[in-house]
Amino acid sequence: MKNNRITDIWDKNRNNILFGVLIAAAALLYNYNGILSYRPYSIHQWRQCDCLSITKSYYDEDRKFLEPAIFWLGDGKEGKTVSEFPIIYFTVAKLWKLIGYHEYIFRIINILIVFSGLFCLFKLALRFTSDSFWSLFTVLLLFTSPILVYYTNNFTADAPAFGLALCGLYFYQKGVSDRKNYLYFISFFIFLLGGLIKISSLIAFCALLIIHIYS
């Protein structure tokens, strides 16, 4: 009976399980588990420190959502700053309030967002190709990019914004093919979040908008 149940689960979720196993294996190969405990380091260390200081200011000072600040040692200012839409920083700070100050939580949140985007890309490729091998190959090929690999397990917002753009593409295509309006709204909301975090993530949305208007 148990074997039948396991077989049913495997048959229904084979592609998703393969995706999870391969992405986890790639993450281990890139030493993601070891990097989780690192402080900001290497390329763009100063920008990573900025992102972390904004989050720490939310955590230490209970700042309002629209009043982000960095650590400031000068006179006459409170460190208030203008940066990306601070949804990730604010969310991480609230998680720190619940489970304690652990910088690896910041990295995990970014990883989860990017991996969600890669999963959506996998599902999108599967809808076009109907072939699990080429769909997995597409995702794994993308995840060999040194830039994506480095910034996914990081404190900056570039990779999460890209992950949100991939999620937006999937829900948009699903809304078109399934003719379900609520999927459009989900797609637009995800694109909005990605664009607020990093304006460059709206490139895909602009391309879709042009195609949509033309068609």
Side-chain angles (χ1 to χ4, degrees), residues 41-54:
Y41 78 104
S42 190
I43 301 172
H44 285 168
Q45 183 180 22
W46 64 272
R47 187 67 183 93
Q48 297 178 57
C49 291
D50 281 348
C51 297
L52 199 56
S53 66
I54 292 172

Side-chain angles (χ1 to χ4, degrees), residues 53-209:
S53 66
I54 292 172
T55 310
K56 192 70 161 57
S57 295
Y58 277 128
Y59 173 71
D60 288 338
E61 303 170 17
D62 287 324
R63 287 184 169 272
K64 295 180 182 179
F65 178 69
L66 295 179
E67 294 183 358
I70 57 174
F71 296 154
W72 179 256
L73 300 178
D75 296 328
K77 294 184 179 180
E78 300 178 2
K80 290 184 179 180
T81 186
V82 176
S83 186
E84 306 93 1
F85 186 60
I87 184 66
I88 296 177
Y89 311 138
F90 188 79
T91 301
V92 172
K94 292 303 179 184
L95 288 174
W96 284 348
K97 289 286 187 182
L98 291 175
I99 57 183
Y101 178 78
H102 303 287
E103 291 180 2
Y104 63 79
I105 294 174
F106 200 142
R107 292 184 185 271
I108 290 174
I109 292 297
N110 283 354
I111 290 171
L112 289 176
I113 294 173
V114 175
F115 281 11
S116 296
L118 292 177
F119 180 70
C120 284
L121 176 62
F122 167 67
K123 301 295 283 188
L124 183 62
L126 199 59
R127 292 175 74 91
F128 280 108
T129 65
S130 300
D131 190 305
S132 58
F133 172 81
W134 288 111
S135 300
L136 288 168
F137 178 81
T138 300
V139 173
L140 292 176
L141 181 64
L142 177 62
F143 200 46
T144 61
S145 165
I147 293 176
L148 181 60
V149 170
Y150 175 73
Y151 285 105
T152 292
N153 193 0
N154 210 299
F155 298 102
T156 56
D158 304 75
F162 177 69
L164 288 171
L166 294 178
C167 292
L169 285 171
Y170 168 71
F171 281 102
Y172 179 85
Q173 195 281 330
K174 189 173 174 60
V176 170
S177 61
D178 296 354
R179 298 184 179 276
K180 293 181 178 178
N181 288 336
Y182 78 92
L183 293 175
Y184 280 114
F185 292 114
I186 292 175
S187 171
F188 297 155
F189 177 72
I190 293 173
F191 275 124
L192 174 64
L193 282 180
L196 288 171
I197 293 172
K198 281 291 180 182
I199 190 66
S200 56
S201 67
L202 285 180
I203 293 175
F205 174 78
C206 292
L208 285 176
L209 184 62

